[in-house]
Coordinates of all heavy atoms in Angstrom, one line a residue:
T126 N -49.4 89.1 -49.8 CA -48.6 87.9 -49.6 C -47.6 88.2 -48.4 O -46.7 87.3 -48.2 CB -47.7 87.6 -50.9 OG1 -47.0 88.7 -51.3 CG2 -48.7 87.1 -52.0
Q127 N -47.7 89.3 -47.7 CA -46.9 89.6 -46.6 C -47.3 88.8 -45.4 O -48.5 88.3 -45.3 CB -46.9 91.1 -46.3 CG -46.3 91.9 -47.5 CD -44.9 91.6 -47.8 OE1 -44.0 91.5 -47.0 NE2 -44.7 91.3 -49.1
A128 N -46.4 88.6 -44.4 CA -46.8 88.0 -43.2 C -47.8 88.8 -42.4 O -47.9 90.0 -42.5 CB -45.5 87.8 -42.3
F129 N -48.6 88.1 -41.6 CA -49.6 88.8 -40.8 C -48.9 89.6 -39.7 O -47.9 89.2 -39.1 CB -50.5 87.8 -40.1 CG -51.5 88.4 -39.2 CD1 -52.6 89.1 -39.6 CD2 -51.3 88.4 -37.8 CE1 -53.5 89.7 -38.7 CE2 -52.2 89.0 -36.9 CZ -53.3 89.7 -37.4
E130 N -49.4 90.8 -39.5 CA -48.9 91.7 -38.5 C -50.1 92.5 -37.9 O -50.7 93.3 -38.7 CB -47.8 92.6 -39.0 CG -47.3 93.7 -38.0 CD -46.8 93.1 -36.7 OE1 -45.8 92.3 -36.8 OE2 -47.4 93.4 -35.7
Q131 N -50.4 92.3 -36.7 CA -51.6 92.9 -36.1 C -51.6 94.5 -36.2 O -52.6 95.1 -36.5 CB -51.8 92.6 -34.6 CG -53.1 93.0 -34.0 CD -54.3 92.4 -34.7 OE1 -54.5 91.2 -34.7 NE2 -55.2 93.3 -35.2
A132 N -50.4 95.0 -36.1 CA -50.2 96.5 -36.2 C -50.6 97.0 -37.6 O -51.0 98.2 -37.7 CB -48.8 96.9 -35.9
F133 N -50.6 96.2 -38.6 CA -50.9 96.6 -40.0 C -52.3 96.2 -40.4 O -52.8 96.6 -41.5 CB -49.9 96.0 -41.0 CG -48.5 96.3 -40.7 CD1 -47.5 95.4 -41.1 CD2 -48.1 97.4 -40.0 CE1 -46.1 95.6 -40.9 CE2 -46.7 97.6 -39.7 CZ -45.7 96.8 -40.1
E134 N -53.0 95.4 -39.6 CA -54.2 94.8 -40.0 C -55.3 95.9 -40.3 O -56.0 95.7 -41.3 CB -54.8 93.9 -38.9 CG -56.1 93.3 -39.2 CD -56.2 92.4 -40.4 OE1 -55.1 92.0 -40.9 OE2 -57.3 92.2 -40.9
G135 N -55.4 96.9 -39.6 CA -56.4 97.9 -39.8 C -56.2 98.6 -41.2 O -57.1 98.8 -41.9
A136 N -54.9 98.9 -41.5 CA -54.6 99.6 -42.8 C -54.9 98.6 -43.9 O -55.4 99.0 -45.0 CB -53.2 100.0 -42.8
R137 N -54.6 97.3 -43.8 CA -54.8 96.4 -44.8 C -56.3 96.1 -45.0 O -56.7 96.0 -46.2 CB -54.1 95.1 -44.5 CG -52.5 95.2 -44.5 CD -51.9 93.9 -44.1 NE -50.4 94.0 -44.2 CZ -49.6 93.0 -43.8 NH1 -50.1 91.8 -43.4 NH2 -48.3 93.2 -43.9
R138 N -57.0 96.0 -44.0 CA -58.5 95.8 -44.1 C -59.1 97.0 -44.8 O -60.0 96.8 -45.7 CB -59.1 95.6 -42.7 CG -60.4 94.8 -42.8 CD -61.0 94.6 -41.4 NE -60.0 93.9 -40.5 CZ -60.1 93.9 -39.2 NH1 -61.1 94.6 -38.6 NH2 -59.2 93.3 -38.5
S139 N -58.7 98.2 -44.5 CA -59.2 99.4 -45.2 C -58.9 99.4 -46.7 O -59.7 99.7 -47.5 CB -58.7 100.7 -44.5 OG -59.2 100.8 -43.2
S140 N -57.6 98.9 -46.9 CA -57.2 98.8 -48.3 C -58.0 97.8 -49.1 O -58.4 98.0 -50.2 CB -55.7 98.4 -48.4 OG -55.3 98.0 -49.7
L141 N -58.3 96.7 -48.5 CA -59.1 95.6 -49.1 C -60.5 96.1 -49.4 O -61.1 95.9 -50.5 CB -59.2 94.4 -48.2 CG -60.1 93.2 -48.7 CD1 -59.6 92.7 -50.0 CD2 -60.1 92.1 -47.6
R142 N -61.2 96.8 -48.4 CA -62.5 97.3 -48.6 C -62.5 98.3 -49.7 O -63.4 98.4 -50.6 CB -63.1 97.9 -47.4 CG -63.4 96.9 -46.2 CD -64.1 97.7 -45.1 NE -63.9 97.2 -43.8 CZ -64.5 96.1 -43.3 NH1 -65.4 95.5 -44.0 NH2 -64.2 95.7 -42.1
A143 N -61.5 99.2 -49.7 CA -61.5 100.3 -50.7 C -61.3 99.7 -52.1 O -61.9 100.1 -53.1 CB -60.3 101.3 -50.4
W144 N -60.4 98.8 -52.2 CA -60.2 98.1 -53.5 C -61.4 97.4 -54.0 O -61.8 97.6 -55.2 CB -59.1 97.0 -53.3 CG -58.9 96.0 -54.4 CD1 -58.2 96.2 -55.5 CD2 -59.4 94.6 -54.4 NE1 -58.2 95.0 -56.3 CE2 -58.9 94.1 -55.6 CE3 -60.2 93.9 -53.5 CZ2 -59.2 92.7 -55.9 CZ3 -60.4 92.6 -53.9 CH2 -60.0 92.0 -55.1
W145 N -62.2 96.8 -53.1 CA -63.5 96.2 -53.5 C -64.4 97.2 -54.0 O -65.1 97.1 -55.0 CB -64.0 95.4 -52.4 CG -65.1 94.4 -52.7 CD1 -65.8 94.3 -53.8 CD2 -65.5 93.3 -51.8 NE1 -66.7 93.2 -53.8 CE2 -66.5 92.6 -52.5 CE3 -65.2 92.9 -50.5 CZ2 -67.2 91.5 -52.0 CZ3 -65.9 91.8 -50.0 CH2 -66.8 91.1 -50.7
M146 N -64.5 98.4 -53.3 CA -65.4 99.4 -53.7 C -65.0 100.0 -55.1 O -65.8 100.3 -55.9 CB -65.4 100.6 -52.7 CG -66.2 101.8 -53.1 SD -68.0 101.5 -53.3 CE -68.5 101.3 -51.6
G147 N -63.7 100.1 -55.3 CA -63.2 100.5 -56.6 C -63.6 99.6 -57.7 O -63.9 100.0 -58.9
L148 N -63.7 98.3 -57.5 CA -64.1 97.3 -58.5 C -65.6 97.5 -58.8 O -66.0 97.4 -60.0 CB -63.9 95.9 -58.0 CG -62.4 95.5 -57.8 CD1 -62.3 94.1 -57.3 CD2 -61.7 95.6 -59.1
L149 N -66.4 97.9 -57.8 CA -67.8 98.2 -58.1 C -67.9 99.4 -59.0 O -68.7 99.5 -59.9 CB -68.6 98.4 -56.8 CG -68.6 97.2 -55.8 CD1 -69.6 97.5 -54.7 CD2 -68.8 95.9 -56.5
L150 N -67.2 100.5 -58.6 CA -67.3 101.7 -59.4 C -66.8 101.5 -60.8 O -67.3 102.1 -61.8 CB -66.4 102.8 -58.7 CG -67.0 103.4 -57.4 CD1 -65.9 104.2 -56.7 CD2 -68.2 104.3 -57.7
G151 N -65.7 100.7 -61.0 CA -65.1 100.5 -62.3 C -65.6 99.3 -63.1 O -65.0 98.9 -64.0
Q152 N -66.7 98.7 -62.6 CA -67.2 97.4 -63.2 C -67.4 97.5 -64.7 O -67.7 98.6 -65.2 CB -68.5 97.0 -62.5 CG -69.6 98.0 -62.9 CD -70.8 97.8 -62.0 OE1 -71.6 96.8 -62.1 NE2 -71.0 98.7 -61.1
S153 N -67.2 96.4 -65.4 CA -67.5 96.3 -66.8 C -69.0 95.9 -66.9 O -69.6 95.7 -65.9 CB -66.6 95.3 -67.5 OG -66.9 94.0 -66.9
T154 N -69.5 95.8 -68.1 CA -70.9 95.3 -68.3 C -70.9 93.8 -68.1 O -71.2 93.1 -69.1 CB -71.4 95.8 -69.7 OG1 -71.1 97.2 -69.8 CG2 -72.9 95.6 -69.7
S155 N -70.7 93.4 -66.9 CA -70.6 92.0 -66.6 C -71.3 91.8 -65.3 O -71.3 92.6 -64.4 CB -69.1 91.5 -66.5 OG -69.1 90.2 -65.9
L156 N -71.9 90.6 -65.1 CA -72.5 90.2 -63.8 C -71.6 89.9 -62.7 O -72.0 89.6 -61.6 CB -73.4 89.0 -64.1 CG -74.9 89.2 -64.4 CD1 -75.6 88.0 -64.9 CD2 -75.6 89.7 -63.1
V157 N -70.3 89.8 -63.0 CA -69.3 89.3 -62.0 C -69.4 90.0 -60.7 O -69.4 89.4 -59.6 CB -67.9 89.3 -62.6 CG1 -66.9 89.1 -61.5 CG2 -67.7 88.1 -63.6
E158 N -69.4 91.4 -60.7 CA -69.4 92.1 -59.4 C -70.7 91.9 -58.7 O -70.7 91.8 -57.4 CB -69.1 93.6 -59.7 CG -67.7 93.9 -60.1 CD -66.7 93.3 -59.2 OE1 -66.9 93.3 -58.0 OE2 -65.6 92.9 -59.7
K159 N -71.8 91.9 -59.4 CA -73.1 91.7 -58.7 C -73.2 90.3 -58.1 O -73.7 90.1 -57.0 CB -74.3 92.0 -59.7 CG -75.6 92.5 -59.0 CD -75.4 93.8 -58.3 CE -76.7 94.3 -57.8 NZ -77.6 95.0 -58.7
M160 N -72.7 89.3 -58.8 CA -72.7 88.0 -58.3 C -71.7 87.7 -57.2 O -71.9 86.9 -56.3 CB -72.5 87.0 -59.5 CG -73.7 86.8 -60.3 SD -75.1 86.1 -59.4 CE -74.5 84.5 -58.9
T161 N -70.5 88.4 -57.3 CA -69.6 88.3 -56.2 C -70.2 88.8 -54.9 O -70.0 88.2 -53.8 CB -68.3 89.2 -56.5 OG1 -67.7 88.6 -57.7 CG2 -67.3 89.1 -55.4
L162 N -70.9 89.9 -55.0 CA -71.6 90.4 -53.8 C -72.7 89.4 -53.3 O -72.9 89.2 -52.1 CB -72.2 91.7 -54.0 CG -72.8 92.4 -52.7 CD1 -71.7 92.7 -51.7 CD2 -73.6 93.7 -53.0
F163 N -73.4 88.8 -54.3 CA -74.4 87.8 -54.0 C -73.8 86.6 -53.2 O -74.3 86.2 -52.2 CB -75.0 87.2 -55.3 CG -75.9 86.0 -55.1 CD1 -77.2 86.2 -54.7 CD2 -75.5 84.7 -55.2 CE1 -78.1 85.1 -54.4 CE2 -76.3 83.6 -55.0 CZ -77.6 83.8 -54.6
W164 N -72.6 86.1 -53.6 CA -72.0 85.0 -52.9 C -71.4 85.5 -51.6 O -71.4 84.7 -50.6 CB -70.9 84.4 -53.8 CG -71.4 83.7 -55.0 CD1 -71.1 83.9 -56.3 CD2 -72.4 82.6 -55.0 NE1 -71.8 83.1 -57.2 CE2 -72.6 82.3 -56.4 CE3 -73.1 81.9 -54.1 CZ2 -73.5 81.3 -56.8 CZ3 -74.0 80.9 -54.4 CH2 -74.2 80.6 -55.8
H165 N -71.0 86.7 -51.5 CA -70.6 87.3 -50.2 C -71.7 87.3 -49.2 O -71.6 87.0 -48.0 CB -70.0 88.7 -50.4 CG -69.7 89.4 -49.1 ND1 -69.0 88.8 -48.1 CD2 -69.8 90.7 -48.7 CE1 -68.8 89.6 -47.1 NE2 -69.3 90.8 -47.5
N166 N -72.9 87.6 -49.7 CA -74.1 87.6 -48.8 C -74.6 86.2 -48.6 O -75.4 86.0 -47.6 CB -75.2 88.4 -49.5 CG -76.5 88.6 -48.6 OD1 -76.4 89.2 -47.6 ND2 -77.5 88.0 -49.0
H167 N -74.2 85.2 -49.3 CA -74.6 83.8 -49.2 C -73.6 83.1 -48.3 O -74.0 82.6 -47.3 CB -74.7 83.2 -50.6 CG -75.2 81.8 -50.5 ND1 -76.5 81.5 -50.3 CD2 -74.5 80.6 -50.7 CE1 -76.7 80.1 -50.3 NE2 -75.5 79.6 -50.6
F168 N -72.3 83.0 -48.8 CA -71.3 82.4 -48.0 C -70.6 83.4 -47.1 O -69.5 83.8 -47.4 CB -70.3 81.7 -48.9 CG -70.8 80.5 -49.7 CD1 -70.9 80.6 -51.1 CD2 -71.1 79.4 -49.1 CE1 -71.4 79.6 -51.8 CE2 -71.6 78.3 -49.8 CZ -71.7 78.4 -51.2
V169 N -71.3 83.8 -46.1 CA -70.9 85.0 -45.3 C -69.6 84.7 -44.5 O -69.5 83.7 -43.8 CB -72.0 85.5 -44.4 CG1 -71.5 86.6 -43.5 CG2 -73.2 86.0 -45.2
I170 N -68.7 85.7 -44.6 CA -67.7 85.9 -43.5 C -67.7 87.3 -43.2 O -68.2 88.2 -43.9 CB -66.3 85.4 -44.0 CG1 -65.8 86.2 -45.2 CG2 -66.3 83.9 -44.4 CD1 -64.7 87.2 -44.8
E171 N -67.1 87.7 -42.0 CA -67.0 89.0 -41.6 C -65.5 89.4 -41.4 O -64.8 88.7 -40.6 CB -67.7 89.3 -40.3 CG -69.2 89.0 -40.4 CD -70.0 89.1 -39.1 OE1 -69.9 90.2 -38.5 OE2 -70.6 88.1 -38.7
L172 N -65.0 90.3 -42.2 CA -63.6 90.7 -42.1 C -63.2 91.1 -40.7 O -62.0 90.7 -40.3 CB -63.3 91.8 -43.1 CG -63.5 91.6 -44.6 CD1 -63.2 92.8 -45.4 CD2 -62.6 90.4 -45.1

Side-chain angles (χ1 to χ4, degrees):
T126 56
Q127 298 300 307
F129 175 78
E130 174 57 60
Q131 187 63 58
F133 304 154
E134 176 60 19
R137 292 176 179 179
R138 202 180 304 163
S139 294
S140 167
L141 176 59
R142 292 189 209 275
W144 168 80
W145 197 344
M146 177 61 74
L148 294 177
L149 302 190
L150 288 167
Q152 67 194 285
S153 63
T154 312
S155 168
L156 263 168
V157 163
E158 290 306 324
K159 208 61 176 282
M160 282 301 294
T161 298
L162 188 67
F163 172 83
W164 293 123
H165 175 43
N166 184 67
H167 183 75
F168 294 112
V169 172
I170 63 107
E171 298 174 60
L172 295 178

